[in-house]
Amino acid sequence: MVGDCLDFVTIGKNYYCGYRMELCVRNDAGALAEKAANEYFKIIYIESETLHIALNKNFYILTGANVICLNEQDQISFKEEPKDNIMILFFKPFVINNKFCSESFYNQEKLSLSERQDLEFLNQFQHNCSDSLKIRQLYTSIASVIKQKFELLSQQLVLQNSSYWPCRSRSYLLELLFVLNRFEEESPVLVPQQQKLKYTKLTEELIDYLQTCYNQKFTIESLAKMFHTNRTTLLKEFKQSTGQSITNYVIEFRIFVAASLLRNTELAVSEICERTGFHDMSYFSRVFKKKIKLTPSKYRNLIKNNTCQ
């Protein structure tokens, strides 16, 4: 049996029969016009040679691969409805954290520090977010990774092939949000406030790549070749722009992602280790403890105990 999608709710079939998850992937642009769609946040992945859209009465022309993030109030329409290469993810914020109801989402006073950090993943869905931050054109390498994450999430919701399907579905949603949110602009976790300067084009493109492909293996030499430069220039420009080495930046980003997965899912620590690109449990525990001051397991238990209080 496979999972059913009723409106924009995925219904459990194989495991947790009848369980309702306010998370669904659709492949038709017409779904955006359905009345129930106005209750959901949306992430739209679309590929097109040229696409004319109206977003909140402002007009844009998109080319290539793009992602569009919409809250429940945003209005979008297409001059010509796209027929192919479109995936739309519908979700409600409490899928990420059950405290993210409409009241707490727009009034954060009752949220803990860790919950406010998780809320940063949804910056581009805030009502006061400009349209320019809701639309993001993607480099080819980044587009392929985002498309793959959409497909993995959709597959997990449909197949429901283990009792972890709700948890893994949530984790793929989180990973998409990690990629789409520009942490170098919005979060103090990775880049100190005084370093929030204008990056060079090389550094900006490299950051986009690292935040998208953080779980992949790479070398400085392979990055230099990918960005058509040499090792010395790559290292120097990145350090001057961010104040960090490339290696340290990637490690801190991986830890940041891992901490969120520990807080918001029940995935095994070993799976989170693999999913975030560490691949070695002892090394993962060591660098996580160095940054967070707790092992991954103790960090998860601490957050869980604080949530229950």
Side-chain angles (χ1 to χ4, degrees):
M1 300 177 71
V2 298
D4 291 338
C5 185
L6 180 63
D7 286 331
F8 305 108
V9 180
T10 298
I11 309 297
K13 287 290 185 179
N14 297 342
Y15 299 87
Y16 308 116
C17 185
Y19 173 75
R20 295 170 60 87
M21 192 171 195
E22 303 273 2
L23 178 65
C24 181
V25 177
R26 298 275 293 269
N27 299 97
D28 57 301
L32 292 164
E34 296 180 23
K35 186 176 180 180
N38 293 329
E39 301 174 12
Y40 290 81
F41 287 6
K42 279 85 67 176
I43 303 175
I44 304 171
Y45 174 86
I46 191 163
E47 297 175 1
S48 177
E49 291 185 3
T50 305
L51 183 68
H52 296 257
I53 71 166
L55 175 57
N56 300 325
K57 299 182 179 180
N58 296 313
F59 297 92
Y60 301 90
I61 300 175
L62 308 183
T63 59
N66 287 266
V67 164
I68 307 170
C69 298
L70 307 175
N71 62 43
E72 77 283 11
Q73 295 185 359
D74 289 320
Q75 297 296 316
I76 189 171
S77 61
F78 303 93
K79 184 176 181 181
E80 294 182 2
E81 187 172 300
K83 303 297 182 183
D84 301 311
N85 296 322
I86 182 169
M87 293 182 285
I88 309 168
L89 193 162
F90 295 85
F91 72 100
K92 291 190 176 179
F94 60 72
V95 170
I96 299 170
N97 187 309
N98 58 19
K99 290 190 177 181
F100 291 173
C101 59
S102 57
E103 178 183 354
S104 62
F105 185 76
Y106 299 111
N107 181 6
Q108 304 176 24
E109 293 180 358
K110 297 181 179 180
L111 298 178
S112 68
L113 176 60
S114 62
E115 288 163 349
R116 289 197 295 272
Q117 287 177 339
D118 288 338
L119 206 57
E120 287 187 358
F121 306 147
L122 298 170
N123 278 333
Q124 59 269 58
F125 297 92
Q126 295 283 353
H127 287 166
N128 59 358
C129 181
S130 66
D131 288 351
S132 61
L133 293 178
K134 295 176 183 290
I135 303 172
R136 182 175 178 186
Q137 188 173 36
L138 307 173
Y139 303 115
T140 302
S141 59
I142 294 176
S144 63
V145 173
I146 290 179
K147 186 175 183 180
Q148 181 189 47
K149 291 185 186 299
F150 262 90
E151 291 169 346
L152 288 169
L153 173 55
S154 180
Q155 184 182 58
Q156 193 69 221
L157 291 171
V158 170
L159 296 180
Q160 301 183 13
N161 53 6
S162 84
S163 60
Y164 276 93
W165 77 264
C167 195
R168 288 205 176 97
S169 299
R170 185 182 303 111
S171 71
Y172 287 129
L173 170 60
L174 284 167
E175 287 184 347
L176 269 172
L177 293 171
F178 298 150
V179 171
L180 297 176
N181 192 18
R182 291 182 175 272
F183 288 93
E184 73 275 14
E185 296 175 1
E186 305 293 346
S187 173
V189 174
L190 297 178
V191 183
Q193 185 71 29
Q194 65 270 23
Q195 294 293 337
K196 292 184 179 180
L197 308 173
K198 288 186 177 180
Y199 296 150
T200 63
K201 186 174 185 295
L202 172 60
T203 301
E204 186 173 349
E205 290 180 359
L206 180 55
I207 284 174
D208 271 349
Y209 177 80
L210 295 176
Q211 290 187 2
T212 303
C213 304
Y214 58 87
N215 59 348
Q216 298 181 15
K217 292 182 178 180
F218 57 82
T219 63
I220 300 301
E221 287 72 19
S222 66
L223 289 175
K225 184 177 180 180
M226 182 182 300
F227 290 95
H228 309 289
T229 187
N230 58 66
R231 174 190 175 95
T232 302
T233 300
L234 188 76
L235 293 173
K236 183 178 179 180
E237 283 199 24
F238 193 88
K239 184 67 178 287
Q240 287 179 339
S241 294
T242 67
Q244 299 184 78
S245 69
I246 293 174
T247 300
N248 188 62
Y249 184 94
V250 172
I251 290 174
E252 288 205 9
F253 190 81
R254 286 173 174 173
I255 292 171
F256 191 67
V257 174
S260 182
L261 291 175
L262 288 164
R263 290 195 300 268
N264 296 300
T265 77
E266 295 298 326
L267 292 176
V269 174
S270 58
E271 182 171 343
I272 291 174
C273 170
E274 287 291 326
R275 291 272 289 272
T276 51
F278 284 103
H279 307 299
D280 180 273
M281 273 294 294
S282 60
Y283 177 67
F284 172 49
S285 295
R286 188 165 65 253
V287 296
F288 191 93
K289 185 175 182 180
K290 182 178 180 180
K291 176 67 179 178
I292 307 296
K293 310 304 180 187
L294 293 168
T295 65
S297 297
K298 288 184 177 179
Y299 174 78
R300 169 177 273 171
N301 290 335
L302 177 66
I303 296 297
K304 189 179 296 184
N305 291 336
N306 288 342
T307 303
C308 293
Q309 288 178 359

